[in-house]
Amino acid sequence: MRVLIVEDEKSLAAEIKSALEKNHFNCEIAGTSKDALQELDNGSFDFILLDIGLPDKDGFWLLEELRKDYTDVAVIILTARGQVEDRVRGLDAGADDYLAKPFSLLELQSRMQAIIRRKFKLNDTLVTLGSFTINIKNRTVHYQDKEINLSRKEFDLLSYLILHKNRPLSRMQLSDHLWGDNADDESDSNYIDVHIKNIRKKMNAYAPTDWLETVRGIGYKIKITS
């Protein structure tokens, strides 16, 4: 998932980025409201971690602006201003959560996972696809008692499609949300197709993957009926 860290304190932004990337998030940093809007214009994000005390426009202004056009992105406010009035103002303006500084990076990641579960209506981290069990949290895929070894990017792709079950996602959407500027720079631009092919090959060795559908002219989707 792609995360925009809007924080003018460079050391803190770098610390957050490092921690999240170890847990398979793809992060970009913006130090001002202007830079943040530019990043949003250049590509879409799943999360925005938003500091209130920015050097140009404050985070409340930025939150109100981005909610006009970017309604799907989850926003967590990170700020030293922890008064009740500020919390209420941020939540009323459209923030999904509010975390006062100083905060634990483990708590931040826990809150992000809670938002993911709410947003995608996951009651558990275990998802069943046909004969397979996928553990989103532990990043494992099993057929019965056999673990199937997917690469990091293969699992990222599979889990992102699971979160957006029954929704066709284009190759550009998948590449942008999963890897952003770190997408593979290959001579052939079909690396999403290559990863899908590898996922199917590895899993079809055990059971059919009819639930992983190619949507002609668009991309791919995972079909879950229950």
Side-chain angles (χ1 to χ4, degrees):
M1 285 194 158
R2 200 167 186 219
V3 181
L4 178 60
I5 303 166
V6 187
E7 169 64 63
D8 65 323
E9 188 178 333
K10 293 182 180 180
S11 60
L12 177 58
E15 185 179 2
I16 295 171
K17 184 176 188 287
S18 176
L20 292 181
E21 288 185 340
K22 288 178 182 176
N23 285 276
H24 310 287
F25 289 95
N26 176 42
C27 302
E28 303 293 340
I29 295 174
T32 66
S33 292
K34 180 181 178 181
D35 290 343
L37 290 174
Q38 184 65 51
E39 288 283 354
L40 288 163
D41 285 341
N42 291 337
S44 52
F45 291 85
D46 301 289
F47 274 96
I48 297 177
L49 307 181
L50 177 60
D51 182 29
I52 295 301
L54 298 172
D56 49 354
K57 301 282 190 177
D58 73 17
F60 290 126
W61 175 88
L62 179 58
L63 178 57
E64 292 173 357
E65 286 298 305
L66 69 89
R67 279 304 184 218
K68 295 176 183 177
D69 299 309
Y70 307 100
T71 57
D72 291 338
V73 62
V75 178
I76 300 179
I77 292 177
L78 307 176
T79 181
R81 293 159 59 175
Q83 292 83 359
V84 172
E85 295 80 4
D86 290 325
R87 292 174 185 266
V88 170
R89 182 181 176 188
L91 294 171
D92 284 349
D96 296 274
D97 205 345
Y98 198 116
L99 194 56
K101 297 177 182 179
F103 55 84
S104 162
L105 291 172
L106 288 176
E107 181 180 1
L108 170 61
Q109 293 176 66
S110 178
R111 287 176 183 247
M112 292 174 71
Q113 293 296 337
I115 289 173
I116 290 171
R117 290 195 297 272
R118 291 198 305 270
K119 181 177 180 180
F120 297 106
K121 299 179 174 59
L122 288 178
N123 296 323
D124 196 351
T125 58
L126 294 177
V127 177
T128 300
L129 293 175
S131 303
F132 302 94
T133 302
I134 293 85
N135 189 315
I136 301 293
K137 181 178 180 180
N138 293 339
R139 299 177 59 84
T140 58
V141 179
H142 281 86
Y143 172 77
Q144 297 177 358
D145 61 347
K146 175 67 175 180
E147 183 172 352
I148 300 169
N149 184 27
L150 298 185
S151 71
R152 171 177 174 172
K153 287 193 174 183
E154 289 164 2
F155 189 88
D156 287 345
L157 180 53
L158 179 64
S159 61
Y160 199 77
L161 284 165
I162 290 172
L163 292 178
H164 294 83
K165 59 183 182 296
N166 300 318
R167 174 186 169 189
L169 297 177
S170 70
R171 293 166 179 81
M172 183 176 295
Q173 284 177 303
L174 291 167
S175 177
D176 190 35
H177 279 268
L178 289 168
W179 305 311
D181 296 336
N182 297 316
D184 288 344
D185 183 17
E186 300 179 5
S187 57
D188 192 350
S189 62
N190 70 339
Y191 52 86
I192 292 291
D193 298 330
V194 172
H195 289 312
I196 291 289
K197 180 180 179 180
N198 289 338
I199 291 169
R200 284 174 168 157
K201 181 178 180 180
K202 291 178 180 180
M203 300 181 77
N204 281 337
Y206 298 91
T209 55
D210 301 338
W211 36 266
L212 178 50
E213 299 183 351
T214 300
V215 183
R216 187 177 298 275
I218 300 177
Y220 299 95
K221 77 173 181 179
I222 284 181
K223 185 176 180 180
I224 300 179
T225 56
S226 58

